[in-house]
Amino acid sequence: MDGIRGVFFDLHGTLLVSDDVDAAWERWVRAFHREMKLRGASVTLDEFKKNLETLFNAPEPGYREPGMSLFMRRVKALGHRLGVDIPLGEIRPMVDSIIRVWHDGMYLDHEAIEVLETLRGRYKVGLVTNWEHAPRIQELLAELGIETLFDAVVVSDEHGSAKPDPGIFHEALSRTGVAPAEAVYVGDMDVDVEGSINAGMHPVLIKRIDQGNWASYSYEEPTGISLDGVTHISRLSELLRVLGAE
């Protein structure tokens, strides 16, 4: 690709991978259910799973409290539906705990650091992720040792819009001074493709062989966008070839 000045990435399923997404989801659901029961919720695991089916794609809770992420507000609202009033002081530690369970066993793609470091010398590099508890992202990037490899990190929870809305991409572009036509976005789902196209960027879709189906556990609805003509890669290092940055 010619004229590229910026390369931006999705996080989950793109840089951060899992050998068994199904198991990760089950661990997270059970940990979440356990926390709710400890606070007085009388609900079976199967009933709780039913509640989670619409948790993330439901309208945002109407109330806001200073310092509360969108996911914290969703947990508060879910507690109300289950007859539990979770004190505000308990929500943040509870949310932090169950999110760490979700990330347990996930790991940085073994090519990620080398690719990011190679790109960092030639392009602006950014991260654009849909995530409803922004504090965890900075914490996670530090744990992975990649927090210094991005010129911009934009999280939907902080920005107020989520992929495929082009606004979240434009925020990253604005922070790095890169024009949309000068930017590539690398993601693993069709919302990544649609959002980056709507933002005027060049999409690259990564589809690894034998990787778990992350889309099954995403609140991002399939967009139905055609993937014809979209650049596909099966591993991160192929991106360097696509960019001519080998």
Side-chain angles (χ1 to χ4, degrees), residues 152-182:
V153 175
V154 183
V155 184
S156 62
D157 177 42
E158 291 178 328
H159 184 253
S161 70
K163 298 178 290 185
D165 189 318
I168 191 171
F169 297 94
H170 289 154
E171 176 66 21
L173 293 167
S174 175
R175 291 188 194 181
T176 54
V178 175
E182 301 172 326

mmCIF file of all heavy atoms in Angstrom, residues 152-182:
data_model
loop_
_atom_site.group_PDB
_atom_site.id
_atom_site.type_symbol
_atom_site.label_atom_id
_atom_site.label_comp_id
_atom_site.label_asym_id
_atom_site.label_seq_id
_atom_site.Cartn_x
_atom_site.Cartn_y
_atom_site.Cartn_z
ATOM 1 N N ALA A 152 -1.686 6.426 20.090
ATOM 2 C CA ALA A 152 -3.039 6.771 20.541
ATOM 3 C C ALA A 152 -3.782 5.497 20.902
ATOM 4 O O ALA A 152 -3.673 4.491 20.198
ATOM 5 C CB ALA A 152 -3.801 7.529 19.451
ATOM 6 N N VAL A 153 -4.515 5.547 22.008
ATOM 7 C CA VAL A 153 -5.381 4.450 22.431
ATOM 8 C C VAL A 153 -6.772 5.030 22.644
ATOM 9 O O VAL A 153 -6.963 5.917 23.483
ATOM 10 C CB VAL A 153 -4.885 3.795 23.733
ATOM 11 C CG1 VAL A 153 -5.881 2.740 24.224
ATOM 12 C CG2 VAL A 153 -3.502 3.175 23.532
ATOM 13 N N VAL A 154 -7.746 4.550 21.874
ATOM 14 C CA VAL A 154 -9.112 5.059 21.959
ATOM 15 C C VAL A 154 -10.040 3.908 22.342
ATOM 16 O O VAL A 154 -10.097 2.891 21.641
ATOM 17 C CB VAL A 154 -9.572 5.696 20.635
ATOM 18 C CG1 VAL A 154 -10.974 6.285 20.786
ATOM 19 C CG2 VAL A 154 -8.587 6.787 20.196
ATOM 20 N N VAL A 155 -10.752 4.081 23.447
ATOM 21 C CA VAL A 155 -11.641 3.053 23.986
ATOM 22 C C VAL A 155 -13.075 3.578 23.918
ATOM 23 O O VAL A 155 -13.346 4.726 24.303
ATOM 24 C CB VAL A 155 -11.269 2.721 25.447
ATOM 25 C CG1 VAL A 155 -12.135 1.582 25.976
ATOM 26 C CG2 VAL A 155 -9.788 2.362 25.557
ATOM 27 N N SER A 156 -13.986 2.754 23.431
ATOM 28 C CA SER A 156 -15.367 3.203 23.241
ATOM 29 C C SER A 156 -15.982 3.733 24.528
ATOM 30 O O SER A 156 -16.742 4.713 24.506
ATOM 31 C CB SER A 156 -16.217 2.058 22.677
ATOM 32 O OG SER A 156 -16.267 0.964 23.586
ATOM 33 N N ASP A 157 -15.669 3.130 25.658
ATOM 34 C CA ASP A 157 -16.236 3.554 26.936
ATOM 35 C C ASP A 157 -15.894 5.012 27.233
ATOM 36 O O ASP A 157 -16.728 5.754 27.767
ATOM 37 C CB ASP A 157 -15.704 2.641 28.055
ATOM 38 C CG ASP A 157 -16.186 3.050 29.437
ATOM 39 O OD1 ASP A 157 -17.382 3.386 29.566
ATOM 40 O OD2 ASP A 157 -15.374 3.039 30.380
ATOM 41 N N GLU A 158 -14.688 5.427 26.900
ATOM 42 C CA GLU A 158 -14.269 6.804 27.139
ATOM 43 C C GLU A 158 -14.760 7.745 26.050
ATOM 44 O O GLU A 158 -15.157 8.882 26.320
ATOM 45 C CB GLU A 158 -12.742 6.888 27.211
ATOM 46 C CG GLU A 158 -12.134 6.225 28.437
ATOM 47 C CD GLU A 158 -10.629 6.302 28.436
ATOM 48 O OE1 GLU A 158 -10.018 6.282 27.342
ATOM 49 O OE2 GLU A 158 -10.056 6.369 29.535
ATOM 50 N N HIS A 159 -14.746 7.253 24.811
ATOM 51 C CA HIS A 159 -15.066 8.143 23.696
ATOM 52 C C HIS A 159 -16.559 8.383 23.550
ATOM 53 O O HIS A 159 -16.985 9.458 23.120
ATOM 54 C CB HIS A 159 -14.518 7.576 22.387
ATOM 55 C CG HIS A 159 -14.728 8.485 21.222
ATOM 56 N ND1 HIS A 159 -15.671 8.227 20.242
ATOM 57 C CD2 HIS A 159 -14.151 9.653 20.882
ATOM 58 C CE1 HIS A 159 -15.652 9.201 19.358
ATOM 59 N NE2 HIS A 159 -14.738 10.075 19.713
ATOM 60 N N GLY A 160 -17.371 7.386 23.871
ATOM 61 C CA GLY A 160 -18.815 7.545 23.770
ATOM 62 C C GLY A 160 -19.418 7.035 22.483
ATOM 63 O O GLY A 160 -20.638 7.085 22.302
ATOM 64 N N SER A 161 -18.592 6.547 21.558
ATOM 65 C CA SER A 161 -19.104 5.865 20.373
ATOM 66 C C SER A 161 -18.305 4.589 20.183
ATOM 67 O O SER A 161 -17.190 4.463 20.684
ATOM 68 C CB SER A 161 -18.998 6.744 19.121
ATOM 69 O OG SER A 161 -17.647 6.913 18.726
ATOM 70 N N ALA A 162 -18.904 3.634 19.488
ATOM 71 C CA ALA A 162 -18.279 2.320 19.331
ATOM 72 C C ALA A 162 -18.324 1.893 17.874
ATOM 73 O O ALA A 162 -19.194 2.327 17.107
ATOM 74 C CB ALA A 162 -19.001 1.282 20.197
ATOM 75 N N LYS A 163 -17.364 1.053 17.494
ATOM 76 C CA LYS A 163 -17.379 0.488 16.141
ATOM 77 C C LYS A 163 -18.714 -0.211 15.895
ATOM 78 O O LYS A 163 -19.226 -0.866 16.807
ATOM 79 C CB LYS A 163 -16.232 -0.530 15.989
ATOM 80 C CG LYS A 163 -14.844 0.045 16.166
ATOM 81 C CD LYS A 163 -13.768 -1.026 16.060
ATOM 82 C CE LYS A 163 -13.761 -1.983 17.226
ATOM 83 N NZ LYS A 163 -12.644 -2.957 17.208
ATOM 84 N N PRO A 164 -19.304 -0.062 14.720
ATOM 85 C CA PRO A 164 -18.732 0.495 13.488
ATOM 86 C C PRO A 164 -18.933 1.996 13.282
ATOM 87 O O PRO A 164 -18.717 2.478 12.172
ATOM 88 C CB PRO A 164 -19.475 -0.289 12.406
ATOM 89 C CG PRO A 164 -20.840 -0.519 12.989
ATOM 90 C CD PRO A 164 -20.588 -0.762 14.456
ATOM 91 N N ASP A 165 -19.347 2.732 14.303
ATOM 92 C CA ASP A 165 -19.460 4.186 14.173
ATOM 93 C C ASP A 165 -18.095 4.757 13.775
ATOM 94 O O ASP A 165 -17.093 4.509 14.461
ATOM 95 C CB ASP A 165 -19.897 4.775 15.511
ATOM 96 C CG ASP A 165 -20.250 6.251 15.417
ATOM 97 O OD1 ASP A 165 -19.517 6.990 14.723
ATOM 98 O OD2 ASP A 165 -21.235 6.676 16.042
ATOM 99 N N PRO A 166 -18.029 5.527 12.703
ATOM 100 C CA PRO A 166 -16.728 6.055 12.277
ATOM 101 C C PRO A 166 -16.127 7.056 13.248
ATOM 102 O O PRO A 166 -14.929 7.336 13.201
ATOM 103 C CB PRO A 166 -17.035 6.713 10.927
ATOM 104 C CG PRO A 166 -18.495 7.009 10.962
ATOM 105 C CD PRO A 166 -19.109 5.907 11.769
ATOM 106 N N GLY A 167 -16.937 7.564 14.169
ATOM 107 C CA GLY A 167 -16.448 8.579 15.093
ATOM 108 C C GLY A 167 -15.287 8.113 15.942
ATOM 109 O O GLY A 167 -14.365 8.886 16.226
ATOM 110 N N ILE A 168 -15.321 6.844 16.360
ATOM 111 C CA ILE A 168 -14.252 6.345 17.215
ATOM 112 C C ILE A 168 -12.936 6.244 16.440
ATOM 113 O O ILE A 168 -11.855 6.473 16.986
ATOM 114 C CB ILE A 168 -14.640 4.990 17.850
ATOM 115 C CG1 ILE A 168 -13.640 4.611 18.961
ATOM 116 C CG2 ILE A 168 -14.777 3.892 16.812
ATOM 117 C CD1 ILE A 168 -14.074 3.397 19.770
ATOM 118 N N PHE A 169 -13.019 5.948 15.144
ATOM 119 C CA PHE A 169 -11.826 5.913 14.293
ATOM 120 C C PHE A 169 -11.299 7.331 14.063
ATOM 121 O O PHE A 169 -10.087 7.570 14.090
ATOM 122 C CB PHE A 169 -12.147 5.268 12.945
ATOM 123 C CG PHE A 169 -12.567 3.834 13.036
ATOM 124 C CD1 PHE A 169 -13.909 3.486 13.110
ATOM 125 C CD2 PHE A 169 -11.631 2.811 13.048
ATOM 126 C CE1 PHE A 169 -14.312 2.163 13.184
ATOM 127 C CE2 PHE A 169 -12.016 1.485 13.118
ATOM 128 C CZ PHE A 169 -13.360 1.154 13.197
ATOM 129 N N HIS A 170 -12.215 8.272 13.824
ATOM 130 C CA HIS A 170 -11.797 9.651 13.582
ATOM 131 C C HIS A 170 -11.085 10.241 14.793
ATOM 132 O O HIS A 170 -10.179 11.074 14.639
ATOM 133 C CB HIS A 170 -13.015 10.500 13.206
ATOM 134 C CG HIS A 170 -13.554 10.198 11.851
ATOM 135 N ND1 HIS A 170 -14.877 10.429 11.504
ATOM 136 C CD2 HIS A 170 -12.958 9.671 10.746
ATOM 137 C CE1 HIS A 170 -15.067 10.064 10.246
ATOM 138 N NE2 HIS A 170 -13.931 9.601 9.766
ATOM 139 N N GLU A 171 -11.466 9.810 15.986
ATOM 140 C CA GLU A 171 -10.777 10.283 17.189
ATOM 141 C C GLU A 171 -9.316 9.847 17.178
ATOM 142 O O GLU A 171 -8.414 10.643 17.478
ATOM 143 C CB GLU A 171 -11.477 9.749 18.431
ATOM 144 C CG GLU A 171 -10.790 10.093 19.747
ATOM 145 C CD GLU A 171 -10.792 11.568 20.063
ATOM 146 O OE1 GLU A 171 -11.637 12.312 19.504
ATOM 147 O OE2 GLU A 171 -9.946 12.000 20.881
ATOM 148 N N ALA A 172 -9.070 8.588 16.837
ATOM 149 C CA ALA A 172 -7.692 8.091 16.769
ATOM 150 C C ALA A 172 -6.902 8.801 15.673
ATOM 151 O O ALA A 172 -5.720 9.136 15.852
ATOM 152 C CB ALA A 172 -7.693 6.587 16.534
ATOM 153 N N LEU A 173 -7.542 9.037 14.546
ATOM 154 C CA LEU A 173 -6.877 9.743 13.452
ATOM 155 C C LEU A 173 -6.529 11.172 13.860
ATOM 156 O O LEU A 173 -5.430 11.662 13.590
ATOM 157 C CB LEU A 173 -7.780 9.756 12.214
ATOM 158 C CG LEU A 173 -8.030 8.395 11.558
ATOM 159 C CD1 LEU A 173 -9.171 8.489 10.556
ATOM 160 C CD2 LEU A 173 -6.761 7.882 10.873
ATOM 161 N N SER A 174 -7.458 11.823 14.541
ATOM 162 C CA SER A 174 -7.218 13.189 14.987
ATOM 163 C C SER A 174 -6.051 13.264 15.967
ATOM 164 O O SER A 174 -5.214 14.173 15.893
ATOM 165 C CB SER A 174 -8.490 13.750 15.644
ATOM 166 O OG SER A 174 -8.261 15.032 16.188
ATOM 167 N N ARG A 175 -5.980 12.298 16.867
ATOM 168 C CA ARG A 175 -4.915 12.313 17.872
ATOM 169 C C ARG A 175 -3.535 12.091 17.259
ATOM 170 O O ARG A 175 -2.532 12.520 17.834
ATOM 171 C CB ARG A 175 -5.168 11.231 18.925
ATOM 172 C CG ARG A 175 -6.366 11.484 19.826
ATOM 173 C CD ARG A 175 -6.397 10.454 20.933
ATOM 174 N NE ARG A 175 -7.674 10.448 21.625
ATOM 175 C CZ ARG A 175 -7.960 9.641 22.654
ATOM 176 N NH1 ARG A 175 -7.041 8.787 23.101
ATOM 177 N NH2 ARG A 175 -9.147 9.674 23.228
ATOM 178 N N THR A 176 -3.496 11.434 16.130
ATOM 179 C CA THR A 176 -2.204 11.111 15.509
ATOM 180 C C THR A 176 -1.886 11.983 14.306
ATOM 181 O O THR A 176 -0.789 11.891 13.746
ATOM 182 C CB THR A 176 -2.172 9.634 15.070
ATOM 183 O OG1 THR A 176 -3.307 9.368 14.229
ATOM 184 C CG2 THR A 176 -2.213 8.707 16.281
ATOM 185 N N GLY A 177 -2.823 12.819 13.886
ATOM 186 C CA GLY A 177 -2.584 13.687 12.740
ATOM 187 C C GLY A 177 -2.519 12.956 11.418
ATOM 188 O O GLY A 177 -1.871 13.410 10.476
ATOM 189 N N VAL A 178 -3.210 11.814 11.323
ATOM 190 C CA VAL A 178 -3.211 11.001 10.108
ATOM 191 C C VAL A 178 -4.560 11.160 9.400
ATOM 192 O O VAL A 178 -5.615 11.098 10.042
ATOM 193 C CB VAL A 178 -2.964 9.520 10.436
ATOM 194 C CG1 VAL A 178 -3.082 8.653 9.190
ATOM 195 C CG2 VAL A 178 -1.591 9.338 11.082
ATOM 196 N N ALA A 179 -4.533 11.357 8.093
ATOM 197 C CA ALA A 179 -5.766 11.446 7.321
ATOM 198 C C ALA A 179 -6.339 10.044 7.106
ATOM 199 O O ALA A 179 -5.583 9.067 7.041
ATOM 200 C CB ALA A 179 -5.494 12.109 5.972
ATOM 201 N N PRO A 180 -7.668 9.914 6.990
ATOM 202 C CA PRO A 180 -8.269 8.584 6.803
ATOM 203 C C PRO A 180 -7.668 7.800 5.638
ATOM 204 O O PRO A 180 -7.392 6.601 5.771
ATOM 205 C CB PRO A 180 -9.748 8.904 6.552
ATOM 206 C CG PRO A 180 -9.973 10.191 7.269
ATOM 207 C CD PRO A 180 -8.697 10.964 7.111
ATOM 208 N N ALA A 181 -7.438 8.443 4.512
ATOM 209 C CA ALA A 181 -6.904 7.751 3.338
ATOM 210 C C ALA A 181 -5.464 7.301 3.533
ATOM 211 O O ALA A 181 -4.956 6.492 2.754
ATOM 212 C CB ALA A 181 -7.000 8.651 2.107
ATOM 213 N N GLU A 182 -4.830 7.806 4.600
ATOM 214 C CA GLU A 182 -3.443 7.445 4.894
ATOM 215 C C GLU A 182 -3.343 6.370 5.977
ATOM 216 O O GLU A 182 -2.260 6.095 6.467
ATOM 217 C CB GLU A 182 -2.668 8.676 5.376
ATOM 218 C CG GLU A 182 -2.626 9.821 4.386
ATOM 219 C CD GLU A 182 -2.021 11.069 4.978
ATOM 220 O OE1 GLU A 182 -2.210 11.310 6.195
ATOM 221 O OE2 GLU A 182 -1.344 11.812 4.240
#
